[in-house]
Amino acid sequence: MSKVIVVTSGKGGVGKTTSAAAIATGLAMRGHKTVVIDFDVGLRNLDLIMGCERRVVFDFINVINDGVRLNQALIKDKRVENLSILPTSQTKDKEALKQEGVQKVLDELKGEFDYIICDSPAGIERGAMMSLYFADEAIIVTNPEVSSVRDSDRILGILNSKSRRAELGLDAVKQHLLVTRYDAERVTKGEMLKLDDIVEILAIPVLGVIPQCSSVLSASNVGMPVILDEKSKASDAYKDAVSRLLGEEVDLRFLLPEKKSFFERLFRRSA
Amino acid sequence: MNLLDRFFGRQPKNTAVEAKDRLKILLAHERVTTNAPDFLPMMKQEILEVIRKYIAVDKDQVKVHMQRQQGVSVLELEVELPQGQGPAGKSASLSLA
């Protein structure tokens, strides 16, 4: 039974695409056939984060509207077995993402893949609504910051009222909180919302906490999902999140600052 | 806070607490208004018509609220009855799972 999982947030720039790429890659590394779809029509970026931008010939919108076969648009990842990417189009046509078309593509993908990860655009426009409409589960990407938490709350409300599951009166979309850009040091100083605060406000279970980590930018520079950077803390944190998504119990990490030497403490300037 | 800050007695303000408090107040308000189901205004109108069939009440004497809490949505219906038609300020509420 394949699962459709949307990675969403409301607010832009919180790490949706980074997280969608990392989690899809993580699921594939664990042996599950996984496809990750870009729903950000007109502003595609998943291809760049996945490092397959030069291999895009046909896209999601061509499959929906132009009779292109799904297999012509799907790009097989060269590093990880079981992983495919479905890029979106750069068209400005907002109506290109038709609900029946999306449903048809998802139904076809369900025949081939265990996990279908939908990378939502920011906002609550058509692309975002389409990406969450068919979801069985939702990963809400949130930064420890007031506007991000507020927008996540709004998206949770939309999942509970506007998704297919809500409209048909089925079991609710299963919601997971993924906190990204978590700076344990600033949290300790009282400069940043702590995980418990965010959980108390949004009232959904935690899938993972991704620490603020320079490896995320480095990985995007070279078109590699950060989970493949073996030495990075963000990679470890995403691997933990993938395990929890698969139902395993894993303790949370990276909630406390790393111990610093005396000289580092003396001379470090605050960010 | 590093040692030099500590030496000069500079205490950083705990802004995270303020962030949490502001969010809690804001979201308590926003959840009532933006997350209300689409059918709520229509349902409110119909409830009002049914009540009006039997009791002369004003439009603003009937209040319908929907609140989302952990796991349950609570539909609150408050009807203010005019003097002489029952105990004033009588209210009823029902829960939707």
Side-chain angles (χ1 to χ4, degrees), chain A residues 146 149-150 153-154 156-158 160 162 189-193 197 200-203 262 265-269, chain B residues 1-6 12-17 19-20 22-24 26-27 30-31 34-35 38 68 70:
Chain A
V146 286
V149 176
R150 179 201 215 172
D153 189 75
R154 186 95 162 82
L156 288 172
I158 290 171
N160 286 333
K162 297 282 198 298
K189 286 191 210 161
E191 292 175 5
M192 183 180 263
L193 283 167
D197 293 344
E200 187 187 326
I201 291 166
L202 295 178
F262 174 76
R265 284 163 66 95
L266 188 61
F267 295 110
R268 190 192 48 78
R269 286 163 197 231
Chain B
M1 191 164 63
N2 70 26
L3 285 179
L4 290 175
D5 283 341
R6 208 168 294 181
K13 208 172 144 214
N14 193 328
T15 52
V17 172
K20 183 186 176 188
R22 287 175 63 217
L23 271 171
K24 282 179 106 171
L26 175 75
L27 293 182
E30 282 189 344
R31 280 170 186 163
T34 57
N35 291 341
D38 297 342
R68 181 160 61 95
Q70 266 177 318

Side-chain angles (χ1 to χ4, degrees), chain A residues 104-122:
Chain A
K104 226 177 124 202
V105 171
L106 290 179
D107 284 344
E108 201 179 332
L109 288 170
K110 279 179 187 174
E112 200 179 330
F113 294 95
D114 305 323
Y115 286 94
I116 301 164
I117 308 296
C118 303
D119 179 24
S120 169

